[in-house]
Amino acid sequence: MNWIKHVSQLYIEWLRAQIKTNHGRIVLLGLVVGLLYFPLWIHDLVIRSISGSTGLALISCAALMGLAPLWQKHQQLRRLTASEEDQIIGHLLILGSVVLFPFFRADMWAQALIWLFIMGGITLSTWGATFFVKYPLTTLLVPMTVYTRPGVIAQGTWRFLMPQNLLENMMAAASTQALQWIGQPAIVQGRFITMPSGGAVEVAWRCNGFNMAVAMAVTGLLLGIFFKRTRLQITRLMLVGAAVGLVFNVPRIMLMALAHAYWGDWWFDFWHGSWGAQIFVGVLFTVYYYTAMAMLNRQQRSLKKA
């Protein structure tokens, strides 16, 4: 209990120090917005994780890895100071974001963007633009944590650049071919898989493997950064992760098609719901972990030989 009392005293002393200056008061105003956004952020993150999303694990890892340099180099951080110009720009970012926040209470993505601007404004006005140069890992990873659905941007980009239902059709065709290999009379029509004994199953956006591929690519990024690999090696880890996510989605679609055709609605709902999704995500992460570690070990041996 003593450590709780000690932390509380430090927090109260810091709060009193912030109230005494204009900069501190503006920073506190920005942090209030963060406190208002936090319940929505954590609620959405937990609910999505229960449904089989990997967001909680990936965002937690990104936050820890992004904040670790600040703790390791906190003495250097204390010596950083913001110029007058940086303080003005940072304060404008904070105040402008605080003013806009009440008008976007219904849009989570907008609140996340506003909170990102506030964090940028606090950083700029407290430590200056030098911070972003001295702490590139924090600058890269922390912004990834402000929104619980980082794959949304990737989804929008994919849908803008690619033909409609391209990935859904590809997944349906690959799954149908695999079903035929094991002796099932499956027929594919666009993104629909038809089983003569059980009707058709649609491969919708959420079932096309894109989110799994993005999650595995981000996992590869975090692994590469954690083990301090080169950019090329990190890119390979990300590409392999995305490929594993897409390939692994094929047996998932096959299982749901078989469940729909032969096992009844309960089993289809089970594998299509949160429990089934969590089982698949757990197996997927296990497979990719061993694949990535094999790649990392091979890269390490190559470095030793060189």
Side-chain angles (χ1 to χ4, degrees):
M1 295 298 292
N2 289 333
W3 70 269
I4 296 178
K5 184 178 180 181
H6 178 66
V7 171
S8 300
Q9 290 175 345
L10 290 176
Y11 172 74
I12 292 172
E13 291 175 3
W14 176 83
L15 192 62
R16 288 173 178 172
Q18 297 304 308
I19 294 174
K20 293 178 180 179
T21 65
N22 289 331
H23 169 69
R25 287 190 284 268
I26 293 174
V27 168
L28 288 175
L29 191 61
L31 292 177
V32 168
V33 171
L35 290 175
L36 293 173
Y37 173 60
F38 180 76
L40 178 63
W41 178 82
I42 193 67
H43 176 268
D44 191 70
L45 198 59
V46 171
I47 293 299
R48 286 172 58 78
S49 297
I50 293 174
S51 300
S53 171
T54 59
L56 180 59
L58 295 179
I59 287 176
S60 298
C61 290
L64 289 173
M65 292 172 61
L67 295 175
L70 302 185
W71 175 256
Q72 295 167 353
K73 301 178 181 179
H74 62 277
Q75 295 295 341
Q76 298 178 20
L77 185 63
R78 290 179 180 178
R79 291 194 289 268
L80 290 180
T81 56
S83 65
E84 185 177 352
E85 292 81 5
D86 287 342
Q87 275 208 343
I88 292 173
I89 296 173
H91 290 165
L92 289 174
L93 280 173
I94 297 170
L95 294 173
S97 299
V98 169
V99 171
L100 289 174
F101 184 76
F103 298 99
F104 293 94
R105 293 291 288 165
D107 298 313
M108 186 174 179
W109 69 267
Q111 293 184 49
L113 187 61
I114 288 171
W115 173 232
L116 179 61
F117 284 139
I118 288 175
M119 287 199 300
I122 291 174
T123 302
L124 187 61
S125 61
T126 304
W127 298 296
T130 309
F131 174 93
F132 303 107
V133 178
K134 289 185 174 293
Y135 297 91
L137 193 59
T138 304
T139 304
L140 171 66
L141 294 180
V142 171
M144 295 171 57
T145 68
V146 300
Y147 191 44
T148 59
R149 307 174 187 183
V152 169
I153 298 175
Q155 291 178 19
T157 304
W158 175 271
R159 286 176 163 175
F160 178 77
L161 296 176
M162 298 298 173
Q164 187 177 12
N165 297 325
L166 172 64
L167 190 55
E168 291 88 331
N169 293 343
M170 291 173 60
M171 284 290 114
S175 301
T176 300
Q177 184 64 59
L179 284 168
Q180 292 172 356
W181 286 341
I182 62 174
Q184 295 297 323
I187 301 171
V188 63
Q189 293 178 323
R191 65 180 186 275
F192 293 90
I193 301 173
T194 303
M195 300 280 283
S197 58
V201 173
E202 179 186 4
V203 180
W205 172 260
R206 290 185 61 188
C207 301
N208 66 7
F210 185 86
N211 290 332
M212 296 171 69
V214 171
M216 291 301 100
V218 174
T219 303
L221 171 66
L222 297 177
L223 282 174
I225 292 173
F226 181 79
F227 287 102
K228 299 180 180 180
R229 292 300 190 249
T230 65
R231 293 180 181 178
L232 179 59
Q233 292 170 340
I234 292 174
T235 302
R236 288 174 180 169
L237 285 170
M238 294 176 67
L239 291 175
V240 170
V244 170
L246 290 174
V247 170
F248 207 81
N249 193 53
V250 172
R252 180 170 181 259
I253 295 174
M254 291 172 60
L255 184 59
M256 287 190 289
L258 292 171
H260 182 69
Y262 301 116
W263 306 336
D265 293 339
W266 190 91
W267 280 108
F268 177 81
D269 293 337
F270 175 84
W271 288 113
H272 192 259
S274 59
W275 280 105
Q278 290 181 46
I279 292 172
F280 269 100
V281 167
V283 177
L284 173 60
F285 264 92
T286 302
V287 171
Y288 179 64
Y289 171 78
Y290 285 106
T291 303
M293 293 309 297
M295 292 177 62
L296 290 168
N297 291 334
R298 186 170 65 251
Q299 292 169 358
Q300 187 66 30
R301 289 194 295 268
S302 300
L303 288 173
K304 289 181 179 179
K305 290 180 180 180

